[in-house]
């Protein structure tokens, strides 16, 4: 059986400094795959390769049986890969509704002319769009923030809006880069609940990058551990927790 | 419903252009006022004469307002590119020139020194926009590759290339010496002698007012005649309203959001599926279209122009409008163009008032003395006799005040006039608990 996503022996270097070296993994439909590793291990770089923001010098990325290597980010988005960012990358001067609606860019197609005259199709599409956006707002419990410019929202809410924007793309794969970083316990629990909801209700496959081990061990199906750009172990949570290489990478030499 | 005025029953009503009744009434009133402005004779209700908007009905003021409308249209175009898509362009004057000369060739008089096909406005006006947009599309592939300061430089180059071209294509532009005559705003169905709707001569009221007369005749008497300025103003104001609606719609639909997303965070926008080059290309073409229309209207309004009028200064004027209006909003852009044209006039009136005050003496007079100079030895800031005194003349004073205002806005109110308006509105919304 072929996988939803295959990351094959990827190598990425910046001016000779290797960020990723021989990274391979796969993700199946509906799976929650986690990538963990110390700072600078190459987790965000892995996402940037997947999105087409970085162009790896070596290897191949196969999505639904087709190579997406070297494709433009917007083309990859169209094919169903969505993402959130480690440092929030919302559109600061747009409100919550507009931010989430922007996520629907790839699922809508009214152009500038139809949009300017706001006739028939443009209007219908905007209404249908709004209904979908409201579903997401409902799911993420951000009703009261709808009209606020996102720049003014609390950090935890911004993280949710970003998740909402990614969901609006109706993706098949969702990349989450440290979704609970900097959150308190309550916010973390909320976010974990949303992630599980998304998985159960929408059946979207996910790659989760996260430093919160408790969360990762709790909800991931499989985990890959990166260290200095190289995968040192991949497997189910119980195996990873017992893996001596992993313990060494995390605790340093004394382990 | 009464206690919850903001309860929307459907997305449709919420997503409409003017979602609340307050907004509808306000805009309705505003449009009504705009229509009443040129009724110079005043309207008779019962047996009393009302002068709806007083001094604005002067022909001189109507000319200023016509300019506001034309520059408003052009500025809404630049707002798409700069305000929404975040691409600073100094090339607006170039695209206005393209529009102006397209209008000249298509609509200009036949058989004169310069090319002219004598076609009616409903051909030359849209064509001016389309040709400018086409030229914009030729330039866009280069422009979308550069950003920030480099884009400003590339588009600056356009203005100089444009000026050079316009100067040398004398059979189209008439060259720098005398320029050429442009088609008038009169609406003809084809090439008939008597225009179907005349905007450029004094004459009887338009049909619209005949209808109003017919509707309200028993109660209100509308004046029977209207000046050239009044008609021109009405035609341009109507066009502005159309363009405002188009611009507003663009902003609240898919492409408008894509523009803003690229402005706020371009990489994130691409990752969310917004094609960078294609979207900027569209912003460029759209903005050039509006510029072309504004250019054609401007020359039709002033009647005669030389190539040098499409210079950097014109471009800068648009950047100023978009900037002090409040980048990214339609309302702000309109406020900006009102400001840029109404303000100098007010400064002029103000210095006139200062002069009078100085001459009349008293306490205020001596304060005003500091500003106004009345002769060679008098070191006031503003001179009453141009060129004679060491002070500034009125137009220099304007430049100084503009400069200060732009700096002030950049530092204190990046949202421009629109930001100030928001604050005033929110204050009154919360009244009496406004703090
Ligand atoms: N654009 C870039 N230019 C140069 N070096 C880069 C770039 N992006 C990443 N790197 C380098 O690649 C390595 C991996 O970085 P990456 O951001 O992927 O780490 P990470 O695992 O996400 O770390 P963290 O947990 O801190 O987020 C680092 O050494 C980083 O300095
Ligand atoms: Mg990272």
């Amino acid at each position: 059986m072929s996988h939803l996503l295959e990351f094959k022996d990827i190598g990425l270097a910046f001016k000779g400094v290797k960020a990723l070296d021989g990274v391979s993994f796969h993700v199946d439909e509906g799976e929650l795959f986690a990538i963990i590793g110390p700072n600078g291990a190459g987790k965000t770089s892995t996402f940037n390769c997947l999105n087409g923001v970085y162009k790896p010098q070596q290897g191949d990325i196969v999505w639904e049986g087709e190579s997406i290597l070297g494709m433009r980010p917007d083309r990859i988005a169209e094919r169903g890969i969505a993402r959130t960012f480690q440092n929030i990358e919302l559109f600061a001067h747009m409100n919550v509704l507009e931010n989430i609606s922007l996520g629907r860019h790839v699922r809508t197609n009214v152009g500038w002319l139809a949009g300017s005259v706001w006739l028939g199709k443009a209007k219908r599409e905007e209404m249908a769009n709004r209904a979908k956006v409201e579903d997401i707002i409902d799911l993420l419990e951000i009703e009261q923030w709808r009209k606020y410019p996102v720049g003014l929202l609390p950090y935890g809410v911004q993280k949710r809006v970003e998740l909402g924007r990614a969901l609006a793309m109706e993706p098949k794969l969702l990349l989450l880069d440290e979704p609970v970083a900097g959150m308190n316990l309550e916010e973390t629990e909320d976010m974990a609940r949303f992630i599980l909801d998304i998985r159960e209700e929408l059946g979207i496959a996910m790659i989760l990058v996260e430093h919160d081990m408790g969360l990762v061990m709790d909800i991931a199906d499989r985990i890959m551990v990166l260290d200095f750009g190289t995968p040192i172990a991949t497997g189910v949570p119980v195996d990873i927790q017992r893996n001596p290489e992993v313990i060494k990478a995390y605790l340093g030499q004394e382990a | 419903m009464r206690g919850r005025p903001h309860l929307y029953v459907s997305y449709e009503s919420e997503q409409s252009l003017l979602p609340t009744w307050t907004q509808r009434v306000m805009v309705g009133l505003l449009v009504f006022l705009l229509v009443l402005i040129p009724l110079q004779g005043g309207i008779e209700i019962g047996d009393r004469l009302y002068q709806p908007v007083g001094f604005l009905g002067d022909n001189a003021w109507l000319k200023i307002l016509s300019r506001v409308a034309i520059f408003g249209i052009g500025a809404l175009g630049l707002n798409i590119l700069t305000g929404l898509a975040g691409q600073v362009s100094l090339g607006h004057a170039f695209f206005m020139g393209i529009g102006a000369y397209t209008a000249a060739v298509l609509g200009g008089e036949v058989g004169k020194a310069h090319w002219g096909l004598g076609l009616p406005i409903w051909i030359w006006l849209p064509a001016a926009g389309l040709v400018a947009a086409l030229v914009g599309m030729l330039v866009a592939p280069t422009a979308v590759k550069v950003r920030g300061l480099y884009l400003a430089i590339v588009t600056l180059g356009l203005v100089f290339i444009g000026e050079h071209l316009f100067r040398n294509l004398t059979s189209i532009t008439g060259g720098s010496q005398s320029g050429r005559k442009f088609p008038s705003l009169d609406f003809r169905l084809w090439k008939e002698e008597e225009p179907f709707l005349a905007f450029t001569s004094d004459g009887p009221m338009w049909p619209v007012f005949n209808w109003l007369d017919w509707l309200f005749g028993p109660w209100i008497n509308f004046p029977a005649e209207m000046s050239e300025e009044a008609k021109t103003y009405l035609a341009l104001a109507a066009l502005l309203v159309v363009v405002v609606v188009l611009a507003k719609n663009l902003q609240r639909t898919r492409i408008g959001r894509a523009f803003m997303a690229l402005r706020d965070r371009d990489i994130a926008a691409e990752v969310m599926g917004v094609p960078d080059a294609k979207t900027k290309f569209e912003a460029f073409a759209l903005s050039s279209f509006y510029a072309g229309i504004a250019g054609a209207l401007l020359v039709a309004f002033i009647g005669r122009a030389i190539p040098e009028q499409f210079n950097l200064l014109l471009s800068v004027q648009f950047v100023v409008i978009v900037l002090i209006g409040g980048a990214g909003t339609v309302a702000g852009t309109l406020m900006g163009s009102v400001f840029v044209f109404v303000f100098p006039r007010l400064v002029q009136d103000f210095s006139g008032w200062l002069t009078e005050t100085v001459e009349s003496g008293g306490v205020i007079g001596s304060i005003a003395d500091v500003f106004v100079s009345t002769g060679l030895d008098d070191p006031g800031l503003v001179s009453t006799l141009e060129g004679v005194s060491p002070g500034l003349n009125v137009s220099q004073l304007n430049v100084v005040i503009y400069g200060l205002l732009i700096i002030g806005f950049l530092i204190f109110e990046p949202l421009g006039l629109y930001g100030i308006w928001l604050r005033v509105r929110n204050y009154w919304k919360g009244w009496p608990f406004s703090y």
Side-chain angles (χ1 to χ4, degrees):
Chain A
M1 195 200 102
S2 76
H3 303 293
L4 180 65
L5 171 79
E6 269 182 282
F7 212 68
K8 291 181 173 170
D9 193 29
I10 290 292
L12 172 77
F14 296 101
K15 299 202 179 94
V17 180
K18 284 192 171 166
L20 296 175
D21 192 7
V23 177
S24 302
F25 65 88
H26 68 263
V27 180
D28 288 318
E29 284 194 36
E31 189 179 22
L32 207 170
F33 185 76
I35 302 178
I36 60 173
N39 291 106
K43 305 179 296 291
T44 301
S45 300
T46 304
F47 278 6
N48 280 333
C49 291
L50 265 170
N51 277 134
V53 177
Y54 291 167
K55 309 268 180 278
Q57 289 88 359
Q58 173 203 316
D60 198 7
I61 303 173
V62 179
W63 170 254
E64 294 185 312
E66 228 181 294
S67 172
I68 54 168
L69 194 76
M71 232 179 235
R72 281 206 324 255
D74 57 284
R75 288 288 159 83
I76 294 175
E78 237 167 61
R79 284 165 186 249
I81 300 181
R83 121 170 226 196
T84 67
F85 297 82
Q86 184 172 351
N87 306 305
I88 298 169
E89 302 264 354
L90 286 169
F91 308 118
H93 300 100
M94 295 160 73
N95 66 25
V96 171
L97 275 175
E98 287 167 332
N99 266 278
I100 299 180
S101 301
L102 190 279
R104 299 203 49 74
H105 194 83
V106 291
R107 298 287 165 255
T108 45
N109 54 31
V110 159
W112 55 268
L113 185 57
S116 293
V117 282
W118 184 254
L119 284 178
K121 188 175 168 241
K123 189 173 167 183
R124 277 197 306 277
E125 191 182 272
E126 276 299 314
M127 294 307 157
N129 213 14
R130 178 66 190 270
K132 299 251 183 193
V133 169
E134 288 294 334
D135 287 344
I136 291 168
I137 287 180
D138 206 40
L139 178 81
L140 299 178
E141 298 163 15
I142 43 180
E143 291 89 346
Q144 76 263 44
W145 309 107
R146 263 194 206 97
K147 295 279 173 88
Y148 280 73
V150 292
L152 301 179
L153 298 180
Y155 177 79
V157 179
Q158 291 197 17
K159 281 273 194 193
R160 279 195 227 174
V161 175
E162 219 191 21
L163 177 61
R165 185 180 66 177
L167 279 180
M169 294 167 67
E170 297 177 22
K172 292 178 190 148
L173 175 67
L174 185 55
L175 314 179
L176 301 172
D177 201 345
E178 308 201 7
V180 304
M183 285 188 170
N184 63 30
L185 187 66
E186 194 190 337
E187 288 171 325
T188 303
E189 277 172 359
D190 279 341
M191 190 54 92
R193 187 158 54 80
F194 296 138
I195 294 174
L196 292 174
D197 279 353
I198 289 165
R199 190 180 177 197
E200 257 141 53
E201 286 177 28
L202 309 172
I204 300 171
M206 279 181 256
I207 304 182
L208 172 69
V209 163
E210 188 47 68
H211 284 295
D212 185 327
M213 281 311 131
L215 179 73
V216 173
M217 295 299 162
D218 261 4
I219 67 176
D221 294 321
R222 283 187 307 127
I223 301 173
M224 174 173 76
V225 186
L226 278 183
D227 194 19
F228 292 113
T230 341
I232 53 175
T234 307
V236 293
V238 275
D239 291 342
I240 294 294
Q241 270 167 322
R242 285 197 297 251
N243 188 310
E245 292 253 18
V246 175
I247 296 168
K248 197 172 119 195
Y250 266 87
L251 300 180
Q253 291 304 353
E254 69 264 39
Chain B
M1 285 297 277
R2 181 172 261 192
R4 301 180 61 185
H6 292 293
L7 183 71
Y8 299 109
V9 282
S10 72
Y11 302 135
E12 180 150 0
S13 58
E14 201 212 28
Q15 302 253 107
S16 61
L17 264 189
L18 302 168
T20 67
W21 273 104
T22 334
Q23 280 166 316
R24 277 172 221 168
V25 170
M26 294 281 277
V27 171
L29 271 176
L30 190 70
V31 170
F32 193 59
L33 272 180
L34 289 180
V35 175
L36 288 185
I37 285 176
L39 299 181
Q40 293 156 328
I43 50 176
E44 265 176 53
I45 302 178
D47 41 27
R48 294 182 59 183
L49 189 68
Y50 288 92
Q51 192 78 46
V53 248
F55 69 96
L56 284 177
D58 290 352
N59 283 340
W61 270 104
L62 285 173
K63 278 192 167 164
I64 292 176
L65 293 179
S66 298
R67 238 169 228 274
V68 169
I70 294 169
F71 277 72
I73 292 171
L76 284 170
L78 187 64
N79 185 51
I80 291 175
L81 188 60
T82 302
L84 295 186
Q87 310 295 303
V88 176
S89 164
L90 289 171
H92 222 53
F94 168 70
F95 295 109
M96 289 182 76
I98 300 283
Y101 291 118
T102 304
V105 170
L106 293 177
E109 278 178 79
V110 192
K112 293 284 162 77
H114 311 116
W115 294 1
L117 297 172
L119 297 170
I121 187 170
W122 57 266
I123 294 178
W124 63 251
L125 187 56
L130 287 175
V131 173
L134 279 176
V135 175
M137 289 179 203
L138 290 180
V139 180
T142 314
V144 300
K145 285 198 193 108
V146 293
R147 56 180 73 195
L149 193 59
Y150 297 101
L151 179 60
I153 293 168
V154 167
T155 49
L156 175 70
L158 274 184
V159 177
F160 290 113
I161 295 170
E163 252 188 273
H164 181 77
L165 271 178
F166 297 152
R167 257 200 304 271
N168 288 296
L169 295 170
T170 45
S171 49
I172 294 176
T173 67
S176 309
Q177 291 304 315
S178 53
R180 72 167 288 168
K181 233 170 120 348
F182 289 90
S184 78
L185 286 170
D186 287 340
F187 189 95
R188 288 181 168 77
L189 293 175
W190 190 237
K191 296 182 176 180
E192 68 270 18
E193 195 62 32
E194 273 303 308
F196 184 71
L197 278 177
F199 299 115
T200 50
S201 52
D202 298 352
M205 276 296 178
W206 280 357
V208 179
F209 289 94
N210 294 340
W211 303 334
L212 283 176
D213 204 29
W214 179 79
L215 265 178
F216 300 105
W219 307 283
I220 305 174
N221 274 321
F222 289 93
E225 295 267 309
M226 205 160 29
S227 71
E228 171 188 345
E229 287 80 2
K231 291 178 173 181
T232 303
Y233 157 79
L234 276 177
L236 292 170
L239 273 176
L240 176 66
V241 169
V242 172
V243 171
V244 163
V245 172
L246 292 178
K248 240 350 217 177
N249 282 339
L250 178 74
Q251 193 171 351
R252 67 197 175 116
T253 49
R254 180 171 170 269
I255 300 296
R257 283 191 297 264
F259 289 161
M260 293 189 279
L262 280 176
R263 171 197 67 192
D264 283 0
R265 283 237 189 259
D266 52 355
I267 306 253
E270 281 183 83
V271 169
M272 304 316 293
V274 177
D276 181 83
K278 176 170 177 262
T279 308
K280 284 181 185 162
F281 179 90
E282 288 178 339
F284 224 88
L286 263 172
S287 145
S288 311
F289 179 85
Y290 283 53
I293 298 275
L297 290 174
L298 181 64
V299 289
F301 175 69
I302 56 184
R304 189 172 264 283
I306 56 171
E308 280 77 5
Q309 275 168 287
F310 302 100
N311 60 7
L312 182 60
L313 209 64
L314 186 64
S315 286
V316 169
Q317 218 165 0
F318 281 97
V319 175
V320 167
I321 290 176
V322 171
L323 204 93
I324 66 175
T329 60
V330 169
T333 306
L334 293 181
M335 290 181 207
S337 44
V338 168
F339 188 80
V340 161
F341 291 101
V342 172
F343 188 72
R345 173 60 195 253
L346 294 179
V347 171
Q348 199 178 324
D349 289 358
F350 172 70
S351 43
W353 172 82
L354 273 182
T355 318
E356 275 171 34
T357 322
V358 173
E359 277 153 13
S360 66
V363 180
I364 299 178
S366 40
I367 297 172
D369 245 347
V370 179
F371 292 98
V372 183
S373 78
T374 43
L376 257 182
D377 309 320
D378 182 356
L381 283 174
V382 185
S383 62
T384 53
L385 304 161
E386 260 181 65
V388 177
S389 97
L392 301 165
N393 64 37
V394 170
S395 70
Q396 285 167 328
L397 181 66
N398 256 321
V399 172
V400 169
I401 293 181
Y402 266 124
L404 291 177
L405 274 169
I406 290 171
I407 295 167
F409 272 119
L410 283 178
I411 295 174
F412 299 112
E413 186 57 82
L415 286 179
L417 292 171
Y418 186 74
I420 294 175
W421 154 246
L422 274 187
R423 226 172 294 142
V424 171
R425 196 190 65 183
N426 289 343
Y427 179 89
W428 285 108
K429 256 190 181 171
W431 196 85
F433 303 107
S434 27
Y435 40 78

